[in-house]
Amino acid sequence: MSNYQLDYLEQLEAESIHIFREVAGQFEKPALLFSGGKDSITLVHLAMKAFAPAQFPFPLVHIDTGHNFPEALNFRDALARKIKATLIVREVEDTIQQRNLTEPKGKFPSRNWLQTYTLLDTIEEFQFDCCIGGARRDEEKARAKERIFSVRDEFGQWDPKLQRPELWNCFNGKIHKGENVRVFPISNWTELDIWNYIRKEKIELPSIYFAHDRDVIANDGQLVAVSHFIKPSASDTVVTKKVRYRTVGDMTCTAAVESNASTLDEVINEIIATRISERGETRIDDRVTEAAMEDRKKNGYF
Amino acid sequence: MDLLRFITAGSVDDGKSTLIGRLLYDSKNILVDQLEALERSTKNKDNGEVDLALLTDGLRAEREQGITIDVAYRYFSTLKRKFIIADAPGHVQYTRNMITGASHAGLIIILIDARQGVVEQTRRHSIIASLLKIPHVVVAVNKMDLVDYCKDVYHKIVEEYKLVAAQLNLDNVAYIPISALKGDNIVEKSAHITWYEGVSLLNYLEEVKIENDINLKDARFQVQMVIRPQTNALHDYRGYAGTVLSGIYRVGDKVTVLPSGAQSTISKIETGGQEAVKVFAPQPAVIHLADNIDISRGDTIALSSSLPAIATEANVLLCWMDEKPLQQGNKYLLQHQSKRVRAVIKQVHFKIDVNTLAQQQVDEAIKLNEVAAASIKTAVPLVYDAYEKLKQNGNAILIDETSNSTVAAVLFR
Ligand SMILES: Nc1nc2c(ncn2[C@@H]2O[C@H](COP(=O)(O)OP(=O)(O)O)[C@@H](O)[C@H]2O)c(=O)[nH]1
């Protein structure tokens, strides 16, 4: 590589930093949606680089489903403290109470759908005009056409027909009052890019990304952690396995992977070796229908 | 490992989706569960073959209509390169999507159906490639299996295309005979096309030299924001954050701030929070100047040795992207990188027929998917270069202030 050439991770980083600075330049009240997972941790790292030595000019917002891994929540709080970021947490539980929502039922009750309500309430409460998210286009087919600046109407809804063409590095974040823009700075990163970047930049992650012993039940080939959020049936047997997580979502809808990988290098090697994509391996609710994500997006989900 | 962004173009049914599916499939970038989903949706088919085109198919509405109507991005990598594919549909109406995809592309694959040869859309896609100055063109002559892998058919198409390329001043054109469906010359060299001496498509994509595609001579940097922490420890800190659009900046370089014209010297450079002696395109940077100058978002810091144009009037090409047509005299917002200014379309000079490049008289409004040459006037000076010379600083968009839509791609002339 010549002296004046960036490698692919540096190019991706450059693009993301450019996007972060456009957010700061174009919006009055942005927020970074922080889940405690590796993608949003990477976002925070990029945000710190984009505005260094100043503090990044937006709070971290966590929409807490109440079904999170305790490790992820502890990590979230420790990170916010360490980098002196403002952390806003809003609970889906509260929305359920206030709005009299019906909890999903079943063995693995997912609150993914309900998050949308809390998110929209939070946007309204703080008058956020931009929410930065860690979605990637390689995650899922419906995401492949998502814009980097994705305009949502007052109901948080996404309409494929209303999306603006994105040319060169020129981002149009102009909106009417009440509308808001979801911005995805790591749109062009793949799962492996994220992992390689985490290794290169020595970014810290919650412990559940590495192999550890956990009580799980096997459900249709997927390992689900035993927690008080799920309702195992009589026929389920609880086993202790050495597992790690590839994504960190709700305990009810994120499956673990059997693994001995306890270091970043080992995790990356395993990921390169697996031929199962991140979503298929770890999201329980996605397998229901192929268009599941699409429907959720239209309804204001991240 | 570096990064190549490319776009695929072709008419409907030339095999774009199959080609992308094949590239992902053969380079082992399709994962098991995606493959299973694919097999599930292929089950109803008669021949039982996996329909590779389905891999690249996105939204449900489009799936139901059986066409792709937007730009989708795909990712794959080999040991040599990471690739980002802009998958722009070939539907007649969608010049807009292709221009969007092409604006990010370092290379374009133009698909030609071997049975049909160069058709109107081939010309159109090539014209767009040349207007947007995509540095590398690959002409992939597809469906060679349907013409018995015939050398003469291929050569005739190559000769035909060479005329198009010459007319459009396209350099760096490569030609590859392929069958996306059967996998000939996609990843491995074809056993059927023995007369072809070149490399496979993937091999070409991995090897094509792209490091010279960025202009490192004329240095341009536009300020996205001023960083002023205003903390006790960093009380006097004032840095200009932005992305190096082109060229190289070094500590000590003499610079001119535009449009004001103020001169100064670079006193410090940071990138990613670290001090650096130099930065180059497309790195993000924070630049510090020796003198106290009033600089804000959208201002340009250029090396004094080569300055861009500064003007309130400019000649541009407009690629119209909105349902609402362009009318002479209309006012818009023009966004040039991070700088947004009011602009009026003073005069539309002529339309460019994207199928022939012929200049046409304008007797009505400019509509969606049309390209026109126009002159614009802006409320405050723009600092730009001709797109031909320096595309990173020669592009902009027009925004309709009432709808906030992006209505046009702007290329400065
Ligand atoms: N025989 C043959 N058929 C092909 C080839 N490439 C694509 N096709 C077929 O041509 C049709 C259109 O292909 P598709 O990839 O959907 O075209 P698109 O509209 O450009 O995306 C499909 O039926 C493909 O199976 C090829 O190399 N050989």
PDB file of all heavy atoms in Angstrom, chain B residues 93-112:
ATOM      1  N   GLN B  93     -36.806   3.844 -16.886  1.00  0.00           N
ATOM      2  CA  GLN B  93     -37.101   5.106 -16.205  1.00  0.00           C
ATOM      3  C   GLN B  93     -36.033   5.538 -15.211  1.00  0.00           C
ATOM      4  O   GLN B  93     -36.060   6.650 -14.729  1.00  0.00           O
ATOM      5  CB  GLN B  93     -38.421   4.950 -15.422  1.00  0.00           C
ATOM      6  CG  GLN B  93     -39.628   4.839 -16.296  1.00  0.00           C
ATOM      7  CD  GLN B  93     -39.711   5.985 -17.278  1.00  0.00           C
ATOM      8  OE1 GLN B  93     -39.472   7.137 -16.933  1.00  0.00           O
ATOM      9  NE2 GLN B  93     -40.013   5.665 -18.530  1.00  0.00           N
ATOM     10  N   TYR B  94     -35.129   4.647 -14.870  1.00  0.00           N
ATOM     11  CA  TYR B  94     -34.408   4.912 -13.645  1.00  0.00           C
ATOM     12  C   TYR B  94     -32.986   5.429 -13.781  1.00  0.00           C
ATOM     13  O   TYR B  94     -32.098   5.033 -13.052  1.00  0.00           O
ATOM     14  CB  TYR B  94     -34.508   3.710 -12.715  1.00  0.00           C
ATOM     15  CG  TYR B  94     -35.932   3.542 -12.275  1.00  0.00           C
ATOM     16  CD1 TYR B  94     -36.762   2.599 -12.858  1.00  0.00           C
ATOM     17  CD2 TYR B  94     -36.480   4.403 -11.330  1.00  0.00           C
ATOM     18  CE1 TYR B  94     -38.092   2.490 -12.487  1.00  0.00           C
ATOM     19  CE2 TYR B  94     -37.808   4.302 -10.954  1.00  0.00           C
ATOM     20  CZ  TYR B  94     -38.612   3.349 -11.536  1.00  0.00           C
ATOM     21  OH  TYR B  94     -39.926   3.254 -11.166  1.00  0.00           O
ATOM     22  N   THR B  95     -32.795   6.346 -14.702  1.00  0.00           N
ATOM     23  CA  THR B  95     -31.523   7.048 -14.820  1.00  0.00           C
ATOM     24  C   THR B  95     -31.101   7.617 -13.470  1.00  0.00           C
ATOM     25  O   THR B  95     -29.945   7.586 -13.087  1.00  0.00           O
ATOM     26  CB  THR B  95     -31.661   8.208 -15.825  1.00  0.00           C
ATOM     27  OG1 THR B  95     -32.073   7.663 -17.065  1.00  0.00           O
ATOM     28  CG2 THR B  95     -30.350   8.936 -16.002  1.00  0.00           C
ATOM     29  N   ARG B  96     -32.080   8.099 -12.741  1.00  0.00           N
ATOM     30  CA  ARG B  96     -31.841   8.698 -11.435  1.00  0.00           C
ATOM     31  C   ARG B  96     -31.099   7.730 -10.493  1.00  0.00           C
ATOM     32  O   ARG B  96     -30.140   8.103  -9.831  1.00  0.00           O
ATOM     33  CB  ARG B  96     -33.200   9.088 -10.858  1.00  0.00           C
ATOM     34  CG  ARG B  96     -33.290   9.119  -9.370  1.00  0.00           C
ATOM     35  CD  ARG B  96     -34.725   9.297  -8.932  1.00  0.00           C
ATOM     36  NE  ARG B  96     -34.888   8.630  -7.649  1.00  0.00           N
ATOM     37  CZ  ARG B  96     -35.536   9.160  -6.630  1.00  0.00           C
ATOM     38  NH1 ARG B  96     -36.102  10.336  -6.738  1.00  0.00           N
ATOM     39  NH2 ARG B  96     -35.637   8.501  -5.498  1.00  0.00           N
ATOM     40  N   ASN B  97     -31.544   6.497 -10.451  1.00  0.00           N
ATOM     41  CA  ASN B  97     -30.897   5.536  -9.564  1.00  0.00           C
ATOM     42  C   ASN B  97     -29.482   5.235  -9.998  1.00  0.00           C
ATOM     43  O   ASN B  97     -28.581   5.051  -9.193  1.00  0.00           O
ATOM     44  CB  ASN B  97     -31.690   4.235  -9.523  1.00  0.00           C
ATOM     45  CG  ASN B  97     -33.031   4.424  -8.866  1.00  0.00           C
ATOM     46  OD1 ASN B  97     -33.192   5.333  -8.066  1.00  0.00           O
ATOM     47  ND2 ASN B  97     -33.986   3.599  -9.224  1.00  0.00           N
ATOM     48  N   MET B  98     -29.311   5.176 -11.305  1.00  0.00           N
ATOM     49  CA  MET B  98     -27.980   4.839 -11.777  1.00  0.00           C
ATOM     50  C   MET B  98     -27.004   5.964 -11.454  1.00  0.00           C
ATOM     51  O   MET B  98     -25.871   5.732 -11.058  1.00  0.00           O
ATOM     52  CB  MET B  98     -28.024   4.599 -13.274  1.00  0.00           C
ATOM     53  CG  MET B  98     -26.772   3.884 -13.656  1.00  0.00           C
ATOM     54  SD  MET B  98     -26.539   3.796 -15.386  1.00  0.00           S
ATOM     55  CE  MET B  98     -24.770   3.942 -15.368  1.00  0.00           C
ATOM     56  N   ILE B  99     -27.460   7.192 -11.606  1.00  0.00           N
ATOM     57  CA  ILE B  99     -26.576   8.318 -11.292  1.00  0.00           C
ATOM     58  C   ILE B  99     -26.226   8.304  -9.811  1.00  0.00           C
ATOM     59  O   ILE B  99     -25.084   8.522  -9.421  1.00  0.00           O
ATOM     60  CB  ILE B  99     -27.237   9.645 -11.717  1.00  0.00           C
ATOM     61  CG1 ILE B  99     -27.233   9.708 -13.245  1.00  0.00           C
ATOM     62  CG2 ILE B  99     -26.515  10.844 -11.119  1.00  0.00           C
ATOM     63  CD1 ILE B  99     -27.940  10.891 -13.832  1.00  0.00           C
ATOM     64  N   THR B 100     -27.214   7.997  -8.977  1.00  0.00           N
ATOM     65  CA  THR B 100     -26.950   7.912  -7.542  1.00  0.00           C
ATOM     66  C   THR B 100     -25.886   6.861  -7.259  1.00  0.00           C
ATOM     67  O   THR B 100     -24.892   7.134  -6.583  1.00  0.00           O
ATOM     68  CB  THR B 100     -28.244   7.549  -6.786  1.00  0.00           C
ATOM     69  OG1 THR B 100     -29.234   8.517  -7.114  1.00  0.00           O
ATOM     70  CG2 THR B 100     -28.023   7.536  -5.303  1.00  0.00           C
ATOM     71  N   GLY B 101     -26.081   5.673  -7.789  1.00  0.00           N
ATOM     72  CA  GLY B 101     -25.104   4.610  -7.571  1.00  0.00           C
ATOM     73  C   GLY B 101     -23.753   4.964  -8.165  1.00  0.00           C
ATOM     74  O   GLY B 101     -22.709   4.734  -7.550  1.00  0.00           O
ATOM     75  N   ALA B 102     -23.776   5.567  -9.339  1.00  0.00           N
ATOM     76  CA  ALA B 102     -22.528   5.878 -10.038  1.00  0.00           C
ATOM     77  C   ALA B 102     -21.722   6.949  -9.313  1.00  0.00           C
ATOM     78  O   ALA B 102     -20.504   7.000  -9.424  1.00  0.00           O
ATOM     79  CB  ALA B 102     -22.830   6.330 -11.467  1.00  0.00           C
ATOM     80  N   SER B 103     -22.408   7.799  -8.548  1.00  0.00           N
ATOM     81  CA  SER B 103     -21.676   8.874  -7.875  1.00  0.00           C
ATOM     82  C   SER B 103     -20.710   8.318  -6.822  1.00  0.00           C
ATOM     83  O   SER B 103     -19.791   8.997  -6.409  1.00  0.00           O
ATOM     84  CB  SER B 103     -22.646   9.876  -7.242  1.00  0.00           C
ATOM     85  OG  SER B 103     -23.218   9.365  -6.058  1.00  0.00           O
ATOM     86  N   HIS B 104     -20.918   7.091  -6.408  1.00  0.00           N
ATOM     87  CA  HIS B 104     -20.036   6.480  -5.401  1.00  0.00           C
ATOM     88  C   HIS B 104     -19.022   5.527  -6.023  1.00  0.00           C
ATOM     89  O   HIS B 104     -18.220   4.939  -5.314  1.00  0.00           O
ATOM     90  CB  HIS B 104     -20.859   5.687  -4.387  1.00  0.00           C
ATOM     91  CG  HIS B 104     -21.914   6.489  -3.701  1.00  0.00           C
ATOM     92  ND1 HIS B 104     -21.628   7.334  -2.660  1.00  0.00           N
ATOM     93  CD2 HIS B 104     -23.235   6.610  -3.927  1.00  0.00           C
ATOM     94  CE1 HIS B 104     -22.748   7.922  -2.264  1.00  0.00           C
ATOM     95  NE2 HIS B 104     -23.729   7.507  -3.014  1.00  0.00           N
ATOM     96  N   ALA B 105     -19.135   5.318  -7.337  1.00  0.00           N
ATOM     97  CA  ALA B 105     -18.427   4.178  -7.913  1.00  0.00           C
ATOM     98  C   ALA B 105     -17.044   4.521  -8.445  1.00  0.00           C
ATOM     99  O   ALA B 105     -16.839   5.549  -9.072  1.00  0.00           O
ATOM    100  CB  ALA B 105     -19.271   3.570  -9.036  1.00  0.00           C
ATOM    101  N   GLY B 106     -16.113   3.631  -8.191  1.00  0.00           N
ATOM    102  CA  GLY B 106     -14.785   3.736  -8.782  1.00  0.00           C
ATOM    103  C   GLY B 106     -14.679   2.905 -10.045  1.00  0.00           C
ATOM    104  O   GLY B 106     -13.680   2.976 -10.772  1.00  0.00           O
ATOM    105  N   LEU B 107     -15.704   2.117 -10.308  1.00  0.00           N
ATOM    106  CA  LEU B 107     -15.691   1.238 -11.473  1.00  0.00           C
ATOM    107  C   LEU B 107     -17.125   0.908 -11.841  1.00  0.00           C
ATOM    108  O   LEU B 107     -17.990   0.840 -10.973  1.00  0.00           O
ATOM    109  CB  LEU B 107     -14.910  -0.034 -11.127  1.00  0.00           C
ATOM    110  CG  LEU B 107     -14.737  -1.148 -12.163  1.00  0.00           C
ATOM    111  CD1 LEU B 107     -13.388  -1.843 -11.954  1.00  0.00           C
ATOM    112  CD2 LEU B 107     -15.847  -2.187 -12.096  1.00  0.00           C
ATOM    113  N   ILE B 108     -17.354   0.715 -13.136  1.00  0.00           N
ATOM    114  CA  ILE B 108     -18.694   0.309 -13.559  1.00  0.00           C
ATOM    115  C   ILE B 108     -18.584  -0.957 -14.399  1.00  0.00           C
ATOM    116  O   ILE B 108     -17.687  -1.081 -15.237  1.00  0.00           O
ATOM    117  CB  ILE B 108     -19.411   1.431 -14.340  1.00  0.00           C
ATOM    118  CG1 ILE B 108     -20.824   0.982 -14.769  1.00  0.00           C
ATOM    119  CG2 ILE B 108     -18.607   1.897 -15.561  1.00  0.00           C
ATOM    120  CD1 ILE B 108     -21.685   2.111 -15.304  1.00  0.00           C
ATOM    121  N   ILE B 109     -19.478  -1.910 -14.116  1.00  0.00           N
ATOM    122  CA  ILE B 109     -19.590  -3.081 -14.981  1.00  0.00           C
ATOM    123  C   ILE B 109     -20.801  -2.848 -15.866  1.00  0.00           C
ATOM    124  O   ILE B 109     -21.917  -2.707 -15.364  1.00  0.00           O
ATOM    125  CB  ILE B 109     -19.794  -4.373 -14.172  1.00  0.00           C
ATOM    126  CG1 ILE B 109     -18.600  -4.623 -13.251  1.00  0.00           C
ATOM    127  CG2 ILE B 109     -19.996  -5.562 -15.113  1.00  0.00           C
ATOM    128  CD1 ILE B 109     -18.754  -5.859 -12.370  1.00  0.00           C
ATOM    129  N   ILE B 110     -20.568  -2.750 -17.175  1.00  0.00           N
ATOM    130  CA  ILE B 110     -21.684  -2.591 -18.095  1.00  0.00           C
ATOM    131  C   ILE B 110     -21.964  -3.949 -18.720  1.00  0.00           C
ATOM    132  O   ILE B 110     -21.097  -4.548 -19.355  1.00  0.00           O
ATOM    133  CB  ILE B 110     -21.359  -1.536 -19.170  1.00  0.00           C
ATOM    134  CG1 ILE B 110     -21.208  -0.165 -18.482  1.00  0.00           C
ATOM    135  CG2 ILE B 110     -22.443  -1.507 -20.240  1.00  0.00           C
ATOM    136  CD1 ILE B 110     -20.913   0.972 -19.412  1.00  0.00           C
ATOM    137  N   LEU B 111     -23.173  -4.445 -18.475  1.00  0.00           N
ATOM    138  CA  LEU B 111     -23.530  -5.762 -18.985  1.00  0.00           C
ATOM    139  C   LEU B 111     -24.145  -5.630 -20.365  1.00  0.00           C
ATOM    140  O   LEU B 111     -24.982  -4.750 -20.604  1.00  0.00           O
ATOM    141  CB  LEU B 111     -24.561  -6.410 -18.074  1.00  0.00           C
ATOM    142  CG  LEU B 111     -24.043  -7.168 -16.869  1.00  0.00           C
ATOM    143  CD1 LEU B 111     -25.204  -7.678 -16.047  1.00  0.00           C
ATOM    144  CD2 LEU B 111     -23.171  -8.336 -17.299  1.00  0.00           C
ATOM    145  N   ILE B 112     -23.726  -6.497 -21.242  1.00  0.00           N
ATOM    146  CA  ILE B 112     -24.330  -6.543 -22.569  1.00  0.00           C
ATOM    147  C   ILE B 112     -24.782  -7.976 -22.819  1.00  0.00           C
ATOM    148  O   ILE B 112     -24.035  -8.917 -22.554  1.00  0.00           O
ATOM    149  CB  ILE B 112     -23.302  -6.116 -23.647  1.00  0.00           C
ATOM    150  CG1 ILE B 112     -22.889  -4.655 -23.421  1.00  0.00           C
ATOM    151  CG2 ILE B 112     -23.864  -6.322 -25.045  1.00  0.00           C
ATOM    152  CD1 ILE B 112     -21.882  -4.133 -24.413  1.00  0.00           C
TER     153      ILE B 112
END
